[in-house]
Amino acid sequence: MTNLTRSLLLIRTLFLTLVLTLTLGCQGGIQNSPGTSGPEIIPYPDPSLSPTERARALLSIMTLEEKIGQMTQIERVYLQDGSPIAQFHLGSVLSGGGSTPNPNTPAGWADMIDEYQDQALSTRLRIPLLYGTDAVHGHNNLMGATIFPHNIGLGATGNPQLVEEIARITAIEATATGIHWTFAPSISVPQNIRWGRTYEGYSEDPELTALLGAAAVRGYQGQDISAPDRLIATAKHFLGDGGTTEGIDQGDTQVSFETLRTLHARPYIDAIEAGVKTIMVSFNSWNGIKLHGSRELITDLLRGELGFDGLILSDWGAVKQLPGNEKDQIEKAILAGIDMVMVPDDFRGFTRSLIDLVNQGRVPMERIDDAVFWILRLKFALGLFESPMVDRSQAETIGSPDHRAVARQAVRESLVVLKNNGVLPIGDSVQHIHVIGTKANDIGVQSGGWTITWQGRRGTITAGTTILEGMQSLATDRGITLSSGRTIPENTDLVLLVVGELPYAEFEGDTDEPRLKTDDVEFHRIARESNKPIATVIISGRPLIITEEIEHWDGLVAAWLPGTEGDGVAEILFGVYEPTGRLSFTWPRSMKFYELDEAEILFPLGFGL
Ligand code: BGC
Ligand code: BGC
């Protein structure tokens, strides 16, 4: 752009801003009543200008209350009838884990989000709302959506094209219900499997995490974020969430700046290069200082050194964990560089405190303008001002065979064969298979946390195929008989033992030693006492300590948390596809491994038969 065109554009922006100010001024700041405004478009000031120019123009006519409202993100359950959106000029609403409309259908979501959008569009400036959620392995809060393997399984595929495709499909399914923004990918680099969020990370290896994280960002956001089926991505949680002492969730990451930089910040470099639009700050501390109050890491490192030029979001209620009273906490977080706060409940308290802080000069207006600029620019870039209402045209593709086929391919590629004394793939000599272990037939268990509910649940929580169902249909095709249950028939040629972890998510998933629990210990004993060959499948969010049990197994496959397409597991067991998965985490022999004992490794990073 020449200097002349630049000046002309600037004059045009200023002129249009003036016209707009006058128009709105004449209307005397009219508040349209909710519902009557519809999707009418006000150009701010002109769609042919860049999102940056439009954001600046809009910012220049906003009141302090309107600005603070934009910085506020509230969970839907705290909105009652949605009227606080208009009243407090809220910038964003989220669905937390399991926070769904009733009915939990594509139309249920779209209707809910359109209603909220009507509220936002009924305000003086008609700034549309951003709706966010954790679509972390598919649009996982929605019943009937395609559920992909959790990131730990995708890490084992090592396949960035596949990860990009999964994110693209997730974007289609989520945007078809009105979601604009996913709080994914998690690019944590978990260093201790005690952490209950280990499975949300692709790998303990920062390079692999960087590769796959960037692929996910490209898949969610696409080339052109204003396309109707593109989703804003969030790289999370900045910074060092995977490095806390003993893997304690929201704990303290006691490492040098050097380690923080080369290990935990590494994937952010690629995510930023891939154009990630938002980054979520982490609950954890770094050497005793909470990330949410760290200007050094948020402003100096992330904005400065790493050059991030998008929106920085807080995590759920995390600002309230900072020291001091409510105002001290908010002051600290905003001055550290957070642009939008996932409050997520008390919009009154938050907005009132932040307005006071600005009026008292404790938070400068420049910081507020800077924060609101990132938010508005993102909304303009997304094309929200032009198309604020839900585009429902892709709703029939949700959970479609095409989408499920990609999930099934991901399952095949994510399985890691860890041991095989000739029992895999299941060969011609096998006439009868016996499947033991209740986890073999459970969509909820194989999907894990962040599926329909926050912590996840056992049982038929959504549509899909269990591992047992997948086994059954392939066995039938081959004329093999199959039984299941606690009693192993005499004619059994192979026992398939399916064990693992029950669903969990953040903090509830933390454990001192991940291992087989009561039921599974019993199933293992029954299998062992049958004296038949045993092939074991482990469904889990991390490696488990299985050093004693593994001696009795002739085959072992790590299936991670495969999601709704359990037939992908059966296809590997039967040799329909060759296993290609490789461990993206070291598999420890015992928890002494974390006291830096190399001899305590059962299977090394990258292992897979
Ligand atoms: C989690 C985030 C998540 C947010 C919203 C928080 O508790 O740490 O990963 O995006 O909740 O559900
Ligand atoms: C929400 C989650 C959130 C968590 C934080 C839950 O009630 O559903 O999304 O991450 O609270 O504590």
Side-chain angles (χ1 to χ4, degrees), residues 75 78 94-99 133-134 141 183 197 250 283 315-317 342 344 450 453-455 505-507:
E75 216 289 341
Y78 303 104
L94 87 143
S95 270
S99 181
T133 197
D134 299 279
N141 283 317
F183 307 131
R197 304 192 81 162
Q250 309 192 0
F283 276 116
D315 201 346
W316 178 287
M342 190 186 288
W450 299 105
T453 57
W454 177 39
Q455 294 285 330
E506 32 178 347
F507 31 88

Side-chain angles (χ1 to χ4, degrees), residues 103-140:
N104 184 6
T105 58
W109 282 84
D111 291 345
M112 170 183 78
I113 295 171
D114 274 347
E115 261 176 53
Y116 292 154
Q117 200 60 283
D118 274 335
Q119 290 281 344
L121 297 176
S122 73
T123 56
R124 180 179 81 102
L125 297 173
R126 301 187 200 178
I127 302 174
L129 189 83
L130 281 177
Y131 202 94
T133 197
D134 299 279
V136 300
H137 61 147
H139 185 2
N140 42 245

